Amino acid sequence: MPTNLHRSLMSGRHAPKSRRPQGVSRRQRQQQRHKHLGFETLEDRRVMSANTPGLIDPAELAEYSSASTEGAQQVLLHELERYLSHTSSASSQVVSHAIPTDPLVADQWYLINSGQQVGNPDFQSIFATVGEDINVVPAWQSGLTGSGVVVAVIDSGVDTVSVHPDLDGNLNTVLQFDAITGDDNASPNVMEGDPTNAHGTAVAGIIAALDDNDIGGTGIAHGAELVPIRLIDGGQATDDDFVDAFRHA
């Protein structure tokens, strides 16, 4: 035997609507329904003006360009102050000497993301998102720069002949190794004219390019020691070469 619900559906009738409780207005009922569904009525909104007078002294405002080193440092200092306020209850003074002064640091968005341009302007203007970086500066601020750490760079080799001045001082040429030939020369097979063999040198710079030497950018762990190991060169390496490279490392 069909139930009352079945009879209602079969006859095209709908279930009776629930009555509004006595003493509750239609507007109050709608507000309760909106609240239940996660909506808010327009008249319940409160708008706060960003130009509230008396909160900020105009004399204290300053403008910086995020494309400049000074501007990137100011953005970073603000991030550091916010970082310290969330991680320490003790008062800490943020100083800028932890930020390297090399001329291209402002372009290294993965170190200090101040919203700078990251795309090729000849094709499309692309800008980074402020704060989306590896958050390395708090580590620098606490004195961690990679000093005392040895890093093996297993790649296409690092130019140990005409050493890049941003790597000179951090390269350990005594421990360098060529896993393909088995000798102690980890320089790329083609020193000049072949950009594919410059990859290992570029990676070495990302890891530990010197800081505060007024050349290029700076490395993530600019105090680390680099050991070049040549392994990647046009598919020449065998399985045994891979084993030798990692054993040496």
Side-chain angles (χ1 to χ4, degrees), residues 108-210:
Q108 293 181 275
W109 61 268
Y110 53 91
L111 297 180
I112 306 173
N113 196 329
S114 59
Q116 62 269 62
Q117 184 165 314
V118 296
N120 188 332
D122 293 337
F123 298 100
Q124 184 179 6
S125 295
I126 301 175
F127 295 87
T129 302
V130 175
E132 289 191 358
D133 49 45
I134 64 174
N135 201 30
V136 70
V137 177
W140 291 345
Q141 186 71 31
S142 63
L144 300 176
T145 62
S147 179
V149 177
V150 180
V151 181
V153 183
I154 304 176
D155 207 287
S156 61
V158 178
D159 186 353
T160 59
V161 178
S162 55
V163 181
H164 194 288
D166 228 1
L167 297 177
D168 191 16
N170 281 356
L171 279 181
N172 186 324
T173 57
V174 176
L175 295 179
Q176 64 175 316
F177 178 63
D178 188 333
I180 298 177
T181 63
D183 61 29
D184 59 356
N185 181 7
S187 292
N189 189 31
V190 179
M191 297 299 299
E192 297 178 1
D194 188 351
T196 59
N197 283 332
H199 189 269
T201 304
V203 169
I206 292 174
I207 297 172
L210 294 173

Side-chain angles (χ1 to χ4, degrees), residues 17-35 41 43:
K17 296 183 180 180
S18 61
R19 294 185 177 274
R20 187 171 69 251
Q22 188 175 4
V24 178
S25 67
R26 187 182 303 275
R27 182 175 181 273
Q28 289 174 328
R29 183 66 181 272
Q30 289 177 344
Q31 288 178 339
Q32 291 176 355
R33 184 179 302 146
H34 289 164
K35 182 178 180 181
T41 57
E43 56 268 27

Side-chain angles (χ1 to χ4, degrees), residues 34-48:
H34 289 164
K35 182 178 180 181
H36 175 70
L37 296 175
F39 298 128
E40 62 173 349
T41 57
L42 193 61
E43 56 268 27
D44 288 337
R45 295 182 182 178
R46 300 293 182 268
V47 180
M48 296 184 65

